[in-house]
Amino acid sequence: MVNQWADPAQAPVPFWPFSAIVYVSYNLVLGVAVLAPLGKHVKKPANLWSGALFGGISLGLGALAINIALLANIPAVTAYEIPMLSVTDRFSPVIQIIFVVILLAAVYTTAVASLYGFSARVIKHRFKLSITGVSILAFGAAQFGFSTLVGLLYPAVGFAGLLMLGGLLYGFIKE
């Protein structure tokens, strides 16, 4: 039934099992940039494990809730770039505004954290100038539209993450 509205062949990564792997890789790359520098400050490794477990369960339940909400509103949501805005509007304009504020906060905090992680790891000289330059480039790229950027960046960052995970696995095996 869903294939009526979604064309898997036009997805950024068409084969869904591989798309799932690339998606996990994408999220790991974004997390590593922010969490790796913080890892040295953790006193108890058990805190890392419990945080990962509860964080993963929470994100999984959130993704499940979003998926159910979208599937319950097909085909109406298929016409939107951000279909959850249509779903929240069906409840109340106030809920939609709250959702938009939370979504914007999530986007901007992710952007700032990713910018910091990228700049701290890759660009070590002229830090403030580098952040300004990368911010201007990101702003320019944002003009291409949300779905265009997701279609390009999600697989690109996901594939780069696979290379990173391969390197980490190689290092782990080598040790």
Side-chain angles (χ1 to χ4, degrees):
M1 178 172 157
V2 174
N3 283 344
Q4 286 177 239
W5 298 286
D7 184 4
Q10 291 184 351
V13 180
F15 184 55
W16 77 262
F18 190 58
S19 180
I21 292 168
V22 169
Y23 181 71
V24 168
S25 170
Y26 165 84
N27 283 296
L28 284 172
V29 166
L30 294 178
V32 165
V34 177
L35 298 176
L38 297 176
K40 65 183 174 187
H41 300 292
V42 174
K43 304 278 190 263
K44 299 179 196 171
N47 291 347
L48 292 174
W49 287 103
S50 62
L53 176 68
F54 292 122
I57 289 170
S58 299
L59 285 173
L61 290 174
L64 178 65
I66 289 170
N67 213 359
I68 290 170
L70 292 175
L71 289 172
N73 289 284
I74 282 182
V77 296
T78 60
Y80 297 95
E81 261 193 67
I82 305 173
M84 278 303 293
L85 289 179
S86 169
V87 172
T88 57
D89 188 42
R90 290 175 178 223
F91 289 102
S92 142
V94 173
I95 291 176
Q96 186 181 40
I97 289 169
I98 292 169
F99 179 80
V100 167
V101 168
I102 291 170
L103 184 62
L104 285 172
V107 167
Y108 285 116
T109 56
T110 301
V112 167
S114 297
L115 175 63
Y116 171 77
F118 173 77
S119 298
R121 294 271 181 201
V122 178
I123 306 169
K124 297 184 181 188
H125 305 293
R126 299 186 182 174
F127 191 74
K128 289 181 182 177
L129 180 64
S130 300
I131 286 179
T132 304
V134 172
S135 296
I136 291 169
L137 287 173
F139 181 78
Q143 305 312 304
F144 290 105
F146 181 74
S147 55
T148 303
L149 286 176
V150 168
L152 293 172
L153 293 178
Y154 148 67
V157 174
F159 289 128
L162 289 176
L163 291 173
M164 180 196 73
L165 291 174
L168 290 173
L169 182 62
Y170 173 77
F172 179 75
I173 292 170
K174 192 173 177 181
E175 280 186 25

